[in-house]
Amino acid sequence: MSTAEVSDERFSETHWRSLRYFNLYRLAVATLLFLPALLHPSASIFGLQQGPQRLLIAGAYLVGTAVAVAVAYRHRQHSSTQLTASVMVDVLVMTMLIHVGGGLGSGLESMLLVTLAGAGLVGEGRLVLFYAAMATLAVLLEQSYRAAQNDFDAAGFFHAGVFSAGFFAVAILARLLARRVIANEALAKQRGVDLKNQTVISQRVLEEMQDGVLVIGRDGRARQSNPRARNLLGLNGVREVSECSPELAQGFSAWCRDPREATALVKVPVTGLQLRARFVRTASTESDVLVFIEDMGRLQEQAQQI
């Protein structure tokens, strides 16, 4: 199995959903950059005066983001490659717009911070630092080219250095947050699996028990029961305990008043059986009561056999 296949296996459904949302965000930004330049060439957005160069860059960016959205929805393969390509396109486009817009004062450098934050939440491992390094290199190269073409501007390099540090800080913080979210998601899934397994085992144990087991709510309604309890009490869809055995309902009421009366002898009119009910308090949030039901006739037969 190749490295790319292993990476795609680790890329969960949550990651794919995040990648799609990330590309949809990029598509929205590209649309905001392109439409004003197309409809109102004299308009200003993101601090940039529109022009032919910006229109061409924004148009190419819009096409690229639309392709990325389509690929993310149709092809669930090479996840890291898709994300890396998207981030590199953003770095290139934003750097070009910063250059034609007059430098770091255009405000588009903040869009790079958002891109790196999104990539940090979606990406894996050291790729996040690679994205920050590429953004830093692009901004410093743009500033160096501007300094070579014009007079040296120390304030511009300081501004570029501050944003470069911000690139790494945002990328690292986003990655740490993503790791914490992934760990919590994995823990929640494991607890869900454990709870499901425990429920299945408990249900099987209840079904195989020779004694009847009944769970009664404080309102006197049967919440759960095993097959043996349903046969002894003749429940058959009846939820009210008093309907199948008034004596059991009376014994339950007496136990609620005085928990020391933990057992009660009851008779079931439907089945004609004489039963012994034992009430046990549970720690459930609804304060349900567990009732163990034994057939007195079977107990008497066992005693006679002994």
Side-chain angles (χ1 to χ4, degrees), residues 194-224:
D194 294 340
L195 179 60
K196 182 179 180 180
N197 293 336
Q198 182 179 359
T199 302
V200 170
I201 295 173
S202 299
Q203 186 66 29
R204 185 58 183 270
V205 170
L206 289 177
E207 291 177 356
E208 297 296 331
M209 287 186 66
Q210 295 298 319
D211 295 334
V213 180
L214 182 68
V215 179
I216 303 179
R218 287 293 179 174
D219 56 357
R221 293 175 61 85
R223 298 183 182 273
Q224 293 179 346

Side-chain angles (χ1 to χ4, degrees), residues 9-115:
E9 287 181 359
R10 292 201 309 258
F11 218 64
S12 64
E13 180 61 32
T14 303
H15 279 89
W16 279 108
R17 192 181 303 114
S18 300
L19 179 60
R20 292 166 188 157
Y21 290 155
F22 177 64
N23 283 322
L24 287 175
Y25 154 77
R26 297 174 61 243
L27 181 62
V29 171
T31 303
L32 290 176
L33 287 171
F34 178 73
L35 287 182
L38 180 65
L39 301 177
H40 302 285
S42 60
S44 174
I45 188 169
F46 292 113
L48 299 176
Q49 294 296 327
Q50 305 300 339
Q53 289 181 321
R54 302 183 187 97
L55 178 61
L56 180 61
I57 296 172
Y61 184 46
L62 180 60
V63 173
T65 54
V67 171
V69 170
V71 171
Y73 272 91
R74 295 180 63 87
H75 299 283
R76 291 170 56 93
Q77 296 178 349
H78 308 294
S79 53
S80 297
T81 302
Q82 290 189 37
L83 179 61
T84 301
S86 298
V87 175
M88 292 299 99
V89 169
D90 277 20
V91 170
L92 177 62
V93 169
M94 295 303 170
T95 304
M96 293 173 64
L97 289 175
I98 288 172
H99 178 71
V100 299
L104 291 175
S106 62
L108 283 172
E109 59 274 13
S110 300
M111 304 302 296
L112 278 177
L113 289 173
V114 178
T115 297

Side-chain angles (χ1 to χ4, degrees), residues 102-254:
L104 291 175
S106 62
L108 283 172
E109 59 274 13
S110 300
M111 304 302 296
L112 278 177
L113 289 173
V114 178
T115 297
L116 291 175
L121 293 174
V122 180
E124 293 182 326
R126 298 179 181 177
L127 277 177
V128 177
L129 297 179
F130 171 74
Y131 302 150
M134 291 297 100
T136 298
L137 184 61
V139 169
L140 292 178
L141 286 177
E142 191 281 329
Q143 186 62 35
S144 299
Y145 179 80
R146 184 174 300 279
Q149 295 294 320
N150 305 304
D151 294 335
F152 180 81
D153 184 10
F157 275 98
F158 176 77
H159 196 184
V162 170
F163 268 99
S164 298
F167 293 156
F168 281 95
V170 168
I172 292 174
L173 290 176
R175 181 55 192 159
L176 292 176
L177 177 61
R179 290 179 60 183
R180 187 177 184 87
V181 171
I182 292 172
N184 290 338
E185 180 186 13
L187 180 61
K189 287 183 178 180
Q190 184 59 45
R191 288 182 175 176
V193 171
D194 294 340
L195 179 60
K196 182 179 180 180
N197 293 336
Q198 182 179 359
T199 302
V200 170
I201 295 173
S202 299
Q203 186 66 29
R204 185 58 183 270
V205 170
L206 289 177
E207 291 177 356
E208 297 296 331
M209 287 186 66
Q210 295 298 319
D211 295 334
V213 180
L214 182 68
V215 179
I216 303 179
R218 287 293 179 174
D219 56 357
R221 293 175 61 85
R223 298 183 182 273
Q224 293 179 346
S225 60
N226 67 346
R228 179 62 174 168
R230 291 191 290 271
N231 291 334
L232 292 175
L233 295 174
L235 287 175
N236 295 327
V238 178
R239 307 300 295 177
E240 295 288 344
V241 176
S242 59
E243 295 182 16
C244 60
S245 176
E247 294 183 0
L248 178 60
Q250 294 174 2
F252 175 68
S253 300

Side-chain angles (χ1 to χ4, degrees), residues 255-271:
W255 177 82
C256 290
R257 293 190 299 270
D258 186 5
R260 291 177 297 180
E261 299 292 334
T263 59
L265 294 178
V266 299
K267 188 173 183 179
V268 181
V270 177
T271 61

